[in-house]
Amino acid sequence: MSDPLQQHLAASLAATEPVPLCVGFSGGADSTALLHALAQLPQARANGLRALHVNHGLQHDSEAWAAHCQRFGEAWGVPCEVVRVQVEDGRGDGLEAAARRARHQAFDAHLREGERLVLAHHRDDQVETVLLKLLRGAGPDGLGAMRTLRPLGHAQLWRPMLDVPRASLRAYVEAHGLAFIEDPSNADIQLARNYLRHEILPRLQGHWPQAADSILHSAALSRAAADALRSQWLGALECLRDPATDSLDGQAWLALVPALRDPLLDHWLHARGLTAPTTAQRQQIERQLRESRPGKLPCIRWPGTELHIWRGRLWSVPPATAVDPQWQTEWRGEPLHLPDGGELHLLQGAQLVPPITVRLRRGGERIKPAGDAHTRELRDLFQQDMMPPWRRPACPLLYIDNELVAVADRWASARGAALFQQAGGRPQWRPGR
């Protein structure tokens, strides 16, 4: 074997546990080189080699690109699955981030147990990542940039080409006469990574030829520091986090040194599928905790995340979506998707005959819970039950003939309790946030 890229990948495969491989295949030059090189290696095919193309539907030629990827896979005997996703930019963090999120969700949903997702990130990508993290005020973990291997749900994510320059991949594609996709968005310098790639890095390297080597050396030192700190903040997380609510003790978090405080917060947020704050937003969280007063409900927002300080704890949720307070619908017990993204259903697959009405709070609601001598205002029940304030507006209320008979799965009147007993199942509510 004389090809340098194939030799590099063969050595990387030999150094890792043999598992099935799934290449994240965009059809661009980098992933084309990766998939073709792996397809030449018997050890890559030995446990199963396939490709996964995510069609974001954002470009006019998206369908043609998907067809190209499938033809490429067929030509080299590698099955290529195309997954179409809907990119929703509802978090306010931009189309690029929304597309990345949709792509990662597709990978997570379509990877098989124990499979390894192989991505074509290379040395130049790593340099760009370090600079982007630096410009965003990242600490050691962020400045450590992309890891070669990390867990990904029930699978793994593997980047075996982080030491390979972009130029080597382009040379491989040209040497083998491989057709690839040119995504026009890669030339858009309005996107941060493209601006660095096309405008900033050429100037840096023109003045400091060793810039890439120095940046990656600093990244390696940062990664080593981050790994040394990781065991400490993971231990702290176990003490701060309430498993029942997945909230953090605010004052205990604030008492940590920044080197532990920042990565702990980021890890907690990412585990909940949320985004990390900027330096300014971290400072705002810390200030709100220091100045917190009883009865105050601070909320710090940034694209993709809301962080609430309530009852001395940190709570993180996705951004609120607009909910029509006049919303209502009939319900027979089937899984019901609620306006905030939550769900209501009856346990044991029970059905309500006739159907009842589900609606949201409009103010002034009261219910007499079964076994309670008094009629209660929902406001008081919510406070006694310690339901987080951001969940209350979207809490489903169940009515029969304009009579409130149940509040989600929390309280039911005698009439509601009898209805659910007759149906053979009680309501189960999963809040949207």
Side-chain angles (χ1 to χ4, degrees):
M1 185 190 307
S2 60
D3 184 89
L5 179 60
Q6 293 177 19
Q7 289 177 351
H8 174 84
L9 290 173
S12 298
L13 285 167
T16 61
E17 179 186 4
V19 295
L21 304 178
C22 176
V23 175
F25 185 41
S26 69
D30 302 335
S31 62
T32 295
L34 172 63
L35 182 57
H36 181 271
L38 286 173
Q40 314 311 307
L41 302 177
Q43 61 267 51
R45 291 182 177 271
N47 293 289
L49 174 65
R50 69 186 185 105
L52 188 64
H53 174 80
V54 179
N55 182 353
H56 302 87
L58 296 176
Q59 298 286 346
H60 176 74
D61 293 326
S62 293
E63 290 298 328
W65 294 351
H68 164 88
C69 290
Q70 289 184 310
R71 288 194 302 270
F72 187 93
E74 290 170 4
W76 295 102
V78 178
C80 179
E81 179 184 0
V82 173
V83 178
R84 290 168 176 80
V85 297
Q86 186 73 33
V87 178
E88 298 178 356
D89 186 19
R91 293 190 177 185
D93 50 354
L95 188 62
E96 187 180 16
R100 181 170 57 251
R101 189 162 50 247
R103 183 166 61 253
H104 288 182
Q105 289 171 350
F107 287 150
D108 188 54
H110 289 82
L111 285 172
R112 298 164 187 164
E113 184 78 30
E115 199 168 35
R116 186 174 292 161
L117 175 67
V118 192
L119 298 184
H121 293 122
H122 47 69
R123 188 174 187 270
D124 299 67
D125 290 327
Q126 188 76 309
V127 172
E128 293 163 7
T129 298
V130 176
L131 288 177
L132 285 170
K133 294 289 188 179
L134 179 65
L135 291 168
R136 292 167 183 162
D141 195 53
L143 295 177
M146 294 181 282
R147 294 178 180 270
T148 301
L149 184 67
R150 70 170 178 83
L152 183 66
H154 54 273
Q156 292 179 317
L157 190 155
W158 187 36
R159 299 182 177 99
M161 302 195 305
L162 289 179
D163 294 330
V164 179
R166 178 185 286 115
S168 297
L169 301 181
R170 289 299 175 116
Y172 182 93
V173 167
E174 291 174 7
H176 291 272
L178 304 177
F180 60 89
I181 294 165
E182 287 279 13
D183 186 342
S185 69
N186 288 334
D188 181 4
I189 61 172
Q190 298 301 312
L191 301 177
R193 184 176 288 271
N194 290 342
Y195 184 75
L196 271 179
R197 180 179 303 165
H198 299 299
E199 300 289 330
I200 303 302
L201 275 167
R203 298 182 186 183
L204 277 176
Q205 292 172 324
H207 192 79
W208 293 283
Q210 79 288 359
D213 291 337
S214 298
I215 290 168
L216 293 177
H217 179 67
S218 291
L221 294 175
S222 296
R223 172 58 57 207
D227 288 345
L229 290 168
R230 182 178 176 84
S231 60
Q232 296 183 50
W233 60 254
L234 278 175
L237 178 63
E238 289 299 310
C239 299
L240 270 61
R241 178 178 167 270
D242 174 18
T245 63
D246 201 11
S247 62
L248 300 181
D249 183 324
Q251 293 302 320
W253 173 78
L254 189 61
L256 296 172
V257 297
L260 303 180
R261 189 165 64 220
D262 292 351
L264 184 155
L265 183 69
D266 291 356
H267 177 84
W268 173 63
L269 291 167
H270 290 152
R272 293 180 55 77
L274 302 171
T275 57
T278 64
T279 300
Q281 290 151 355
R282 291 180 201 279
Q283 292 171 349
Q284 189 178 1
I285 296 168
E286 294 164 9
R287 184 173 62 253
Q288 293 287 1
L289 278 168
R290 291 188 182 100
E291 299 173 358
S292 62
R293 298 288 184 272
K296 299 292 184 181
L297 299 172
C299 176
I300 300 92
R301 297 179 175 87
W302 59 88
T305 304
E306 285 183 9
L307 189 140
H308 297 262
I309 300 173
W310 182 60
R311 294 184 177 268
R313 304 191 69 81
L314 302 181
W315 309 70
S316 59
V317 293
T321 54
V323 174
D324 180 6
Q326 301 303 312
W327 175 87
Q328 68 177 48
T329 188
E330 286 193 342
W331 183 54
R332 292 174 172 81
E334 72 282 1
L336 175 64
H337 297 290
L338 300 169
D340 72 332
E343 185 181 275
L344 181 71
H345 68 274
L346 277 187
L347 296 175
Q348 286 84 46
Q351 285 197 329
L352 299 170
V353 181
I356 64 176
T357 299
V358 179
R359 69 188 198 202
L360 306 180
R361 289 189 72 192
R362 298 176 185 175
E365 292 89 358
R366 301 164 65 89
I367 189 172
K368 183 180 180 184
D372 195 323
H374 303 284
T375 299
R376 309 287 183 180
E377 289 192 17
L378 285 198
R379 178 187 59 188
D380 296 334
L381 290 173
F382 285 151
Q383 291 176 352
Q384 293 169 14
D385 193 54
M386 293 193 293
M387 181 185 292
W390 53 92
R391 288 184 182 165
R392 299 173 192 177
C395 179
L397 309 182
L398 283 55
Y399 285 82
I400 301 176
D401 301 329
N402 289 321
E403 178 189 345
L404 180 60
V405 297
V407 180
D409 52 7
R410 305 302 178 93
W411 305 277
S413 67
R415 185 179 182 184
L419 174 71
F420 300 135
Q421 184 176 11
Q422 181 181 0
R426 290 185 57 81
Q428 183 74 35
W429 174 43
R430 177 184 60 77
R433 57 193 213 107

